[in-house]
Amino acid sequence: MPDKNHSIASWHCGLFMHMPCMGSLDVLEDALIGVDTHGTIVSVLTPADADYRDTRQTAQNSAILHQMSTRQLMIPGMTDLHIHAPQWPQRGMALHLPLQDWLQQYTFPLEARYDDLDFARRVYTSLVKTLLANGTTTAMYFATLHEEATELLASTCLELGQRAYVGRVAMDDPGQCPDDYRDADAEAALAASERSIRAIRGLDGNGAARVKPVVTPRFIPSCTSELLNGLGELATRHQCHVQTHCSESDWEHGYVQQRLGKNDTQALADFGLLGRHTVLAHANFISDHDMQLIREAGSGIAHCPLSNSYFADSVFPLRRALEKSLRIGLGTDVAGGHSASIFNACQHAVASSRLLESGVDTRVPREQRGQSDARIDFLEAFHLATAGGADVLNSPTGSFEVGRQFDALLIDLDKPGNPLDEFHHASNWENLLGCIVHNVQPCNIETVWVDGRALSPLIRTPAGTI
């Protein structure tokens, strides 16, 4: 039974699937989950519990029971650990270019436009609604260096109900940043970043801190050492999350080694930017020593398999990182990744791990072509997208356990736009979940909940033209 100190706002009854721990899918059949007025799960009952029937009947009589059909089930909401919000209009554009050219020719000019708040509002509304419709209940965003537009992104997430981590981008190195899109100097960047932290925390309606500020050095090449040191101190002083790119590509990894004489991971640690609330995007070229530093710091990695295909020049050694007990979740990396779906990220994570294991050059003998035991499966990818990503952020989400927040997706298998007919042939629950992870479309996501609040009416309203 729920704690007497909690007031139940809703009960949900039906089939639930989650994976709190790597390696074991937990299926709750005909379960009854109680959610309080704060969106917290306070009770999980199964038909084997003595008070199940009475509780269900009382909830039904009180009109606070949501009963799923036999063609519906719930899974936890998805967590996306790496999104460039201002790049939303750029997705799929110029992905044939090397990273540094893509940034200079396309990305920086686009991001410079976000001093136009009308433009920013159209883009951010479209982005957040689309992500929610794709099942992303928690998102970690790079914004731009514009304070007002960064605050607007945070307020848009708050208004539409998404759990979000939003960072004003800091970048001050004139050698790597365009003159019309960079901070004037380290002092100006630090002052603006601190104002942004205070503004996001002070947003009306953000008393529960559903939207959190993030200290965001774009990456080491775009920041002077003075700025990086200052951002480390700022993150410590304000107890903020930190996000940045780490050893993403040959070019970026090599640049840091040449400039600082060390890998990104060690450099970030020396700047005070590596800690329990740090999220490192990509990390493709990290060494075993880097992995040890990341694990000891408690930091997490945002694995972005789709964008890695375009810009990383490598495949992230996911299996090796998992075996070393690193915290890892998934990221779409919009717009280096052209898909807004974390389900797609799951698919690409599986595919890229298999390519790493089997190798790709047919001129090399099969036994010499790849890295043995590198693959993951869809269950492991599902864990990374839910409980794994939540763990990286130290967020009380990602599973249907008492004490967690009710962030959930109601999956409907019978939608005309995408009937998941494989359900009829699924021999077990794992096969059904595999069908969902590999084939689900936004039309199958009937309802999205964040903190116990159903968001569907908001997110299905047309977002307008960018």
Side-chain angles (χ1 to χ4, degrees):
M1 287 292 290
D3 190 305
K4 293 181 180 179
N5 294 322
H6 291 277
S7 176
I8 300 291
S10 61
W11 289 94
H12 303 269
C13 187
L15 175 63
F16 298 82
M17 291 187 182
H18 66 161
M19 201 167 176
C21 300
M22 182 72 82
S24 179
L25 177 64
D26 189 14
V27 180
L28 305 173
E29 298 183 58
D30 295 320
L32 189 60
I33 293 183
V35 182
D36 72 7
T37 54
H38 302 290
T40 305
I41 297 172
V42 295
S43 181
V44 178
L45 301 175
T46 68
D49 292 308
D51 51 353
Y52 173 87
R53 290 181 180 276
D54 288 344
T55 301
R56 187 181 181 282
Q57 188 62 55
T58 299
Q60 187 171 359
N61 293 342
S62 302
I64 58 171
L65 177 68
H66 167 242
Q67 177 66 56
M68 288 178 255
S69 78
T70 58
R71 303 288 287 165
Q72 295 177 328
L73 70 150
M74 280 198 202
I75 60 175
M78 301 286 111
T79 294
D80 190 335
L81 292 178
H82 187 52
I83 308 166
H84 289 273
Q87 295 174 21
W88 182 237
Q90 187 185 343
R91 61 197 185 282
M93 189 180 299
L95 294 175
H96 61 285
L97 293 177
L99 175 60
Q100 59 270 40
D101 295 338
W102 185 77
L103 290 172
Q104 296 290 343
Q105 296 177 31
Y106 289 86
T107 304
F108 291 157
L110 172 60
E111 291 191 13
R113 293 182 59 187
Y114 283 77
D115 57 353
D116 180 345
L117 293 182
D118 289 335
F119 175 70
R121 184 174 291 104
R122 291 195 303 273
V123 171
Y124 291 157
T125 300
S126 170
L127 167 65
V128 175
K129 285 187 175 185
T130 303
L131 287 169
L132 284 166
N134 277 274
T136 299
T137 52
T138 297
M140 193 170 211
Y141 293 111
F142 277 58
T144 64
L145 55 76
H146 307 96
E147 294 177 58
E148 288 183 280
T150 298
E151 184 176 347
L152 176 62
L153 172 59
S155 64
T156 299
C157 296
L158 196 61
E159 176 187 351
L160 295 176
Q162 188 179 54
R163 190 181 306 280
Y165 298 74
V166 177
R168 176 204 174 269
V169 172
M171 43 192 288
D172 72 327
D173 192 330
Q176 291 294 325
C177 304
D179 290 340
D180 63 345
Y181 187 60
R182 63 177 171 86
D183 291 299
D185 52 36
E187 183 179 2
L190 292 169
S193 295
E194 186 162 29
R195 287 193 297 268
S196 182
I197 291 169
R198 297 184 188 280
I200 291 171
R201 285 180 170 165
L203 285 171
D204 287 342
N206 199 26
R210 186 179 297 128
V211 179
K212 299 180 186 295
V214 186
V215 169
T216 308
R218 187 178 203 106
F219 57 175
I220 290 176
S222 68
C223 300
T224 61
S225 295
E226 181 185 358
L227 174 55
L228 292 165
N229 271 316
L231 290 172
E233 294 171 359
L234 189 66
T236 299
R237 187 164 67 251
H238 286 278
Q239 293 296 292
C240 276
H241 282 74
V242 174
Q243 61 179 345
T244 192
H245 300 83
C246 175
S247 294
E248 177 177 1
S249 66
D250 277 309
W251 166 74
E252 190 269 339
H253 184 67
Y255 177 95
V256 175
Q257 288 179 323
Q258 184 176 17
R259 173 178 145 188
L260 299 175
K262 61 188 82 171
N263 287 354
D264 288 50
T265 305
Q266 184 64 63
L268 291 168
D270 293 344
F271 288 125
L273 289 163
L274 198 68
R276 175 61 183 93
H277 293 105
T278 299
V279 180
L280 305 172
H282 306 289
N284 298 299
F285 289 86
I286 57 175
S287 66
D288 286 346
H289 176 64
D290 294 333
M291 289 189 184
Q292 181 180 347
L293 289 175
I294 293 168
R295 184 181 66 248
E296 290 174 352
S299 302
I301 292 173
H303 175 37
C304 307
L306 180 55
S307 62
N308 287 348
S309 301
Y310 294 105
F311 294 131
D313 313 319
S314 68
V315 175
F316 174 66
L318 176 57
R319 169 62 63 200
R320 181 156 57 91
L322 289 172
E323 289 174 349
K324 291 182 179 294
S325 301
L326 268 66
R327 289 185 165 92
I328 303 172
L330 297 179
T332 57
D333 194 19
V334 167
H338 52 75
S339 170
S341 171
I342 284 290
F343 289 101
N344 286 164
C346 288
Q347 298 156 21
H348 285 282
V350 172
S352 63
S353 75
R354 297 192 68 162
L355 291 172
L356 181 60
E357 180 175 281
S358 62
V360 296
D361 190 346
T362 57
R363 297 169 298 178
V364 177
R366 187 176 186 276
E367 61 275 9
Q368 302 173 19
R369 200 182 298 153
Q371 294 183 14
S372 62
D373 301 321
R375 71 174 61 189
I376 68 162
D377 60 29
F378 77 90
L379 284 172
E380 291 165 307
F382 176 73
H383 170 81
L384 297 180
T386 54
D391 181 47
V392 168
L393 295 172
N394 200 25
S395 172
T397 57
S399 65
F400 298 118
E401 297 173 295
V402 171
R404 296 275 170 174
Q405 294 302 107
F406 190 75
D407 289 13
L409 310 179
L410 178 64
I411 305 297
D412 193 315
L413 304 169
D414 258 345
K415 284 298 181 181
N418 186 45
L420 294 173
D421 291 335
E422 291 87 349
F423 174 78
H424 298 294
H425 310 292
S427 58
N428 56 45
W429 295 126
E430 286 189 6
N431 286 341
L432 172 58
L433 182 60
C435 292
I436 292 169
V437 169
H438 287 106
N439 298 289
V440 71
Q441 297 294 322
C443 65
N444 299 116
I445 303 173
E446 177 68 20
T447 309
V448 177
W449 282 272
V450 175
D451 273 344
R453 176 190 177 202
L455 305 180
S456 296
L458 283 173
I459 64 178
R460 300 199 188 282
T461 304
T465 303
I466 296 175

Short mmCIF file of all heavy atoms in Angstrom, two decimals, residues 84-90 107 109-121 123-124 143-150 181 466:
data_model
loop_
_atom_site.label_atom_id
_atom_site.label_comp_id
_atom_site.label_asym_id
_atom_site.label_seq_id
_atom_site.Cartn_x
_atom_site.Cartn_y
_atom_site.Cartn_z
N HIS A 84 21.96 19.46 -29.82
CA HIS A 84 22.27 20.87 -30.11
C HIS A 84 20.96 21.53 -30.55
O HIS A 84 20.60 21.49 -31.73
CB HIS A 84 23.33 20.98 -31.19
CG HIS A 84 24.70 20.57 -30.74
ND1 HIS A 84 25.57 21.44 -30.13
CD2 HIS A 84 25.33 19.38 -30.79
CE1 HIS A 84 26.70 20.81 -29.83
NE2 HIS A 84 26.57 19.55 -30.22
N ALA A 85 20.26 22.13 -29.61
CA ALA A 85 18.93 22.67 -29.91
C ALA A 85 18.92 23.65 -31.08
O ALA A 85 18.03 23.57 -31.94
CB ALA A 85 18.36 23.33 -28.65
N PRO A 86 19.87 24.59 -31.19
CA PRO A 86 19.79 25.55 -32.29
C PRO A 86 20.04 24.95 -33.66
O PRO A 86 19.76 25.58 -34.68
CB PRO A 86 20.89 26.57 -31.94
CG PRO A 86 21.85 25.80 -31.10
CD PRO A 86 21.00 24.87 -30.29
N GLN A 87 20.56 23.73 -33.71
CA GLN A 87 20.85 23.09 -34.99
C GLN A 87 19.64 22.36 -35.57
O GLN A 87 19.76 21.73 -36.63
CB GLN A 87 22.03 22.12 -34.84
CG GLN A 87 23.34 22.79 -34.49
CD GLN A 87 24.46 21.79 -34.20
OE1 GLN A 87 24.41 20.64 -34.62
NE2 GLN A 87 25.47 22.24 -33.48
N TRP A 88 18.50 22.45 -34.92
CA TRP A 88 17.31 21.76 -35.39
C TRP A 88 16.99 22.05 -36.86
O TRP A 88 16.67 21.13 -37.63
CB TRP A 88 16.14 22.11 -34.48
CG TRP A 88 14.82 21.46 -34.77
CD1 TRP A 88 13.64 22.10 -35.02
CD2 TRP A 88 14.53 20.06 -34.77
NE1 TRP A 88 12.63 21.18 -35.19
CE2 TRP A 88 13.16 19.92 -35.04
CE3 TRP A 88 15.31 18.92 -34.59
CZ2 TRP A 88 12.53 18.68 -35.14
CZ3 TRP A 88 14.69 17.67 -34.67
CH2 TRP A 88 13.31 17.56 -34.94
N PRO A 89 17.10 23.30 -37.35
CA PRO A 89 16.80 23.55 -38.77
C PRO A 89 17.86 22.98 -39.72
O PRO A 89 17.66 22.97 -40.93
CB PRO A 89 16.79 25.09 -38.86
CG PRO A 89 16.65 25.57 -37.47
CD PRO A 89 17.34 24.56 -36.62
N GLN A 90 18.97 22.49 -39.17
CA GLN A 90 20.11 22.06 -39.97
C GLN A 90 20.19 20.54 -40.13
O GLN A 90 21.05 20.03 -40.83
CB GLN A 90 21.39 22.56 -39.27
CG GLN A 90 22.69 22.35 -40.02
CD GLN A 90 23.88 22.77 -39.17
OE1 GLN A 90 23.74 23.47 -38.18
NE2 GLN A 90 25.07 22.35 -39.56
N THR A 107 27.19 25.46 -39.20
CA THR A 107 26.66 25.46 -37.83
C THR A 107 26.81 26.81 -37.15
O THR A 107 25.84 27.35 -36.59
CB THR A 107 27.37 24.37 -37.01
OG1 THR A 107 27.19 23.12 -37.67
CG2 THR A 107 26.80 24.31 -35.61
N PRO A 109 27.25 29.87 -38.43
CA PRO A 109 26.36 30.90 -38.98
C PRO A 109 24.90 30.71 -38.56
O PRO A 109 24.21 31.70 -38.30
CB PRO A 109 26.53 30.73 -40.49
CG PRO A 109 27.90 30.16 -40.66
CD PRO A 109 28.08 29.24 -39.49
N LEU A 110 24.45 29.47 -38.48
CA LEU A 110 23.08 29.23 -38.02
C LEU A 110 22.92 29.62 -36.56
O LEU A 110 21.97 30.32 -36.18
CB LEU A 110 22.71 27.76 -38.22
CG LEU A 110 21.37 27.31 -37.61
CD1 LEU A 110 20.20 28.09 -38.21
CD2 LEU A 110 21.18 25.81 -37.79
N GLU A 111 23.83 29.18 -35.71
CA GLU A 111 23.70 29.48 -34.28
C GLU A 111 23.77 30.97 -34.01
O GLU A 111 23.19 31.45 -33.03
CB GLU A 111 24.77 28.72 -33.50
CG GLU A 111 24.56 27.21 -33.49
CD GLU A 111 25.44 26.48 -32.51
OE1 GLU A 111 26.05 27.14 -31.64
OE2 GLU A 111 25.51 25.23 -32.58
N ALA A 112 24.48 31.71 -34.85
CA ALA A 112 24.59 33.15 -34.66
C ALA A 112 23.24 33.86 -34.83
O ALA A 112 23.06 35.00 -34.38
CB ALA A 112 25.60 33.75 -35.64
N ARG A 113 22.25 33.19 -35.43
CA ARG A 113 20.94 33.81 -35.70
C ARG A 113 20.06 33.88 -34.45
O ARG A 113 18.99 34.51 -34.49
CB ARG A 113 20.20 33.02 -36.78
CG ARG A 113 20.82 33.07 -38.16
CD ARG A 113 19.97 32.30 -39.15
NE ARG A 113 18.60 32.83 -39.22
CZ ARG A 113 17.61 32.25 -39.91
NH1 ARG A 113 17.83 31.12 -40.54
NH2 ARG A 113 16.40 32.79 -39.93
N TYR A 114 20.48 33.26 -33.36
CA TYR A 114 19.57 33.13 -32.23
C TYR A 114 19.51 34.36 -31.34
O TYR A 114 18.91 34.32 -30.26
CB TYR A 114 19.89 31.87 -31.45
CG TYR A 114 19.36 30.64 -32.17
CD1 TYR A 114 20.05 30.13 -33.27
CD2 TYR A 114 18.17 30.06 -31.80
CE1 TYR A 114 19.56 29.05 -33.97
CE2 TYR A 114 17.67 28.97 -32.50
CZ TYR A 114 18.37 28.47 -33.59
OH TYR A 114 17.86 27.40 -34.30
N ASP A 115 20.05 35.48 -31.81
CA ASP A 115 19.74 36.75 -31.18
C ASP A 115 18.35 37.22 -31.61
O ASP A 115 17.78 38.14 -31.02
CB ASP A 115 20.79 37.81 -31.48
CG ASP A 115 20.99 38.05 -32.98
OD1 ASP A 115 20.40 37.30 -33.80
OD2 ASP A 115 21.73 38.98 -33.33
N ASP A 116 17.79 36.55 -32.63
CA ASP A 116 16.42 36.79 -33.08
C ASP A 116 15.50 35.87 -32.28
O ASP A 116 15.39 34.67 -32.56
CB ASP A 116 16.32 36.49 -34.58
CG ASP A 116 14.92 36.70 -35.15
OD1 ASP A 116 13.96 36.81 -34.36
OD2 ASP A 116 14.79 36.73 -36.39
N LEU A 117 14.82 36.41 -31.29
CA LEU A 117 14.03 35.58 -30.39
C LEU A 117 12.78 35.01 -31.05
O LEU A 117 12.30 33.94 -30.65
CB LEU A 117 13.65 36.38 -29.14
CG LEU A 117 14.82 36.75 -28.21
CD1 LEU A 117 14.30 37.49 -26.99
CD2 LEU A 117 15.60 35.51 -27.80
N ASP A 118 12.24 35.67 -32.06
CA ASP A 118 11.10 35.10 -32.78
C ASP A 118 11.53 33.83 -33.51
O ASP A 118 10.81 32.82 -33.50
CB ASP A 118 10.53 36.12 -33.78
CG ASP A 118 9.81 37.26 -33.09
OD1 ASP A 118 9.33 37.06 -31.96
OD2 ASP A 118 9.73 38.35 -33.68
N PHE A 119 12.69 33.89 -34.15
CA PHE A 119 13.24 32.71 -34.80
C PHE A 119 13.51 31.61 -33.78
O PHE A 119 13.14 30.45 -33.98
CB PHE A 119 14.53 33.09 -35.54
CG PHE A 119 15.26 31.93 -36.16
CD1 PHE A 119 14.73 31.27 -37.26
CD2 PHE A 119 16.47 31.50 -35.65
CE1 PHE A 119 15.39 30.19 -37.83
CE2 PHE A 119 17.15 30.43 -36.22
CZ PHE A 119 16.60 29.78 -37.31
N ALA A 120 14.13 31.98 -32.68
CA ALA A 120 14.45 31.00 -31.63
C ALA A 120 13.18 30.34 -31.10
O ALA A 120 13.14 29.13 -30.89
CB ALA A 120 15.21 31.68 -30.50
N ARG A 121 12.14 31.13 -30.89
CA ARG A 121 10.89 30.58 -30.34
C ARG A 121 10.28 29.56 -31.30
O ARG A 121 9.81 28.48 -30.87
CB ARG A 121 9.90 31.71 -30.06
CG ARG A 121 8.62 31.25 -29.39
CD ARG A 121 7.75 32.43 -29.00
NE ARG A 121 8.34 33.21 -27.92
CZ ARG A 121 8.95 34.39 -28.06
NH1 ARG A 121 9.06 34.93 -29.29
NH2 ARG A 121 9.47 35.02 -27.03
N VAL A 123 11.83 27.74 -33.61
CA VAL A 123 12.68 26.55 -33.66
C VAL A 123 12.53 25.70 -32.41
O VAL A 123 12.32 24.49 -32.47
CB VAL A 123 14.16 26.95 -33.86
CG1 VAL A 123 15.07 25.72 -33.71
CG2 VAL A 123 14.37 27.58 -35.23
N TYR A 124 12.63 26.33 -31.25
CA TYR A 124 12.64 25.57 -30.00
C TYR A 124 11.28 24.94 -29.72
O TYR A 124 11.21 23.82 -29.17
CB TYR A 124 13.09 26.46 -28.85
CG TYR A 124 14.56 26.85 -28.93
CD1 TYR A 124 15.03 27.98 -28.30
CD2 TYR A 124 15.46 26.06 -29.65
CE1 TYR A 124 16.38 28.33 -28.37
CE2 TYR A 124 16.80 26.40 -29.73
CZ TYR A 124 17.26 27.54 -29.09
OH TYR A 124 18.59 27.87 -29.16
N ALA A 143 22.63 25.01 -25.95
CA ALA A 143 21.91 26.13 -26.57
C ALA A 143 22.92 26.92 -27.43
O ALA A 143 23.72 26.32 -28.14
CB ALA A 143 21.27 26.99 -25.50
N THR A 144 22.88 28.24 -27.37
CA THR A 144 23.86 29.09 -28.05
C THR A 144 24.50 29.98 -26.99
O THR A 144 24.25 29.84 -25.79
CB THR A 144 23.20 29.97 -29.12
OG1 THR A 144 22.27 30.87 -28.48
CG2 THR A 144 22.46 29.11 -30.15
N LEU A 145 25.33 30.92 -27.42
CA LEU A 145 25.93 31.83 -26.45
C LEU A 145 24.99 32.98 -26.08
O LEU A 145 25.32 33.79 -25.22
CB LEU A 145 27.28 32.35 -26.95
CG LEU A 145 27.37 33.04 -28.31
CD1 LEU A 145 26.82 34.46 -28.27
CD2 LEU A 145 28.83 33.08 -28.76
N HIS A 146 23.81 33.02 -26.70
CA HIS A 146 22.85 34.10 -26.42
C HIS A 146 22.09 33.80 -25.13
O HIS A 146 21.41 32.78 -25.01
CB HIS A 146 21.85 34.24 -27.57
CG HIS A 146 22.50 34.40 -28.91
ND1 HIS A 146 22.70 33.33 -29.77
CD2 HIS A 146 23.01 35.49 -29.52
CE1 HIS A 146 23.29 33.75 -30.87
NE2 HIS A 146 23.50 35.06 -30.75
N GLU A 147 22.17 34.68 -24.18
CA GLU A 147 21.53 34.45 -22.88
C GLU A 147 20.00 34.40 -22.99
O GLU A 147 19.37 33.51 -22.42
CB GLU A 147 21.93 35.54 -21.89
CG GLU A 147 23.40 35.52 -21.51
CD GLU A 147 23.74 36.66 -20.59
OE1 GLU A 147 23.13 36.75 -19.50
OE2 GLU A 147 24.62 37.49 -20.94
N GLU A 148 19.40 35.35 -23.71
CA GLU A 148 17.94 35.40 -23.79
C GLU A 148 17.39 34.17 -24.51
O GLU A 148 16.38 33.59 -24.09
CB GLU A 148 17.50 36.67 -24.49
CG GLU A 148 17.67 37.94 -23.68
CD GLU A 148 17.14 39.15 -24.41
OE1 GLU A 148 17.84 39.66 -25.30
OE2 GLU A 148 16.00 39.56 -24.09
N ALA A 149 18.06 33.74 -25.58
CA ALA A 149 17.58 32.58 -26.31
C ALA A 149 17.76 31.30 -25.50
O ALA A 149 16.94 30.38 -25.57
CB ALA A 149 18.30 32.46 -27.65
N THR A 150 18.82 31.23 -24.71
CA THR A 150 19.03 30.07 -23.85
C THR A 150 17.92 29.99 -22.80
O THR A 150 17.36 28.92 -22.53
CB THR A 150 20.40 30.15 -23.17
OG1 THR A 150 21.43 30.13 -24.17
CG2 THR A 150 20.61 28.99 -22.22
N TYR A 181 30.59 35.17 -33.82
CA TYR A 181 29.92 34.21 -32.96
C TYR A 181 30.91 33.61 -31.95
O TYR A 181 31.36 32.48 -32.07
CB TYR A 181 29.26 33.09 -33.79
CG TYR A 181 28.41 32.16 -32.93
CD1 TYR A 181 27.32 32.66 -32.21
CD2 TYR A 181 28.70 30.81 -32.84
CE1 TYR A 181 26.56 31.82 -31.41
CE2 TYR A 181 27.93 29.96 -32.04
CZ TYR A 181 26.86 30.48 -31.33
OH TYR A 181 26.11 29.65 -30.53
N ILE A 466 9.36 26.55 -39.21
CA ILE A 466 10.64 27.10 -38.71
C ILE A 466 11.09 28.23 -39.62
O ILE A 466 11.08 28.09 -40.82
CB ILE A 466 11.72 26.00 -38.68
CG1 ILE A 466 11.31 24.93 -37.68
CG2 ILE A 466 13.08 26.57 -38.32
CD1 ILE A 466 12.24 23.74 -37.64
#
